[in-house]
Amino acid sequence: VQLVESGGGLVQPGGSLRLSCAASGFTFSRSAMSWYRQAPGKERELVAIITSAGGSTNYADSVKGRFTISRDNAKNMVYLQMNSLKPEDTAVYYCYVRWYLNDYWGQGTQVTVSS
């Protein structure tokens, strides 16, 4: 299983970023996918989750209405569109999948929201 994130960077408050996660090594279309984040000195937290077919999503209260998770099962990709970014969104963002009772994480991509 391999998960590779991209799309992070430095953005001003109120700006937008789109994170991407390229997945391989498992049956992507059968797997729920998630985005987590970890800020310095804080525990890793769930940001968003999407079901295998993309029909259902769920979000942390802190990002509801600002972030959108989506997926493309034909390309084995999952995305996180982040709008109206705030300084408190600064963190390393990770793509995650649970496959056959094992947890798999990407290497993470840094998102920094600062003026």
Side-chain angles (χ1 to χ4, degrees), residues 25-94:
F26 63 103
T27 309
F28 182 79
S29 61
R30 293 185 180 180
S31 305
M33 298 296 298
S34 304
W35 285 97
Y36 281 75
R37 69 184 180 186
Q38 187 166 20
K42 295 188 177 181
E43 293 187 356
R44 195 170 294 189
E45 63 172 351
L46 177 65
V47 175
I49 185 168
I50 186 167
T51 53
S52 57
S56 181
T57 58
N58 205 1
Y59 299 90
D61 287 343
S62 58
V63 307
K64 280 181 182 176
R66 300 188 298 122
F67 289 13
T68 302
I69 188 171
S70 61
R71 64 190 295 159
D72 185 336
N73 283 355
K75 296 181 179 180
N76 283 15
M77 296 289 295
V78 62
Y79 307 99
L80 186 67
Q81 178 67 44
M82 306 186 295
N83 299 328
S84 303
L85 282 161
K86 304 176 181 180
E88 51 264 42
D89 295 318
T90 295
V92 178
Y93 284 71
Y94 298 91

Side-chain angles (χ1 to χ4, degrees), residues 12 16 20 24 29 39 43 75 86 103 115:
Q12 292 187 343
S16 297
S20 299
S24 61
S29 61
E43 293 187 356
K75 296 181 179 180
K86 304 176 181 180
D103 297 326
S115 55

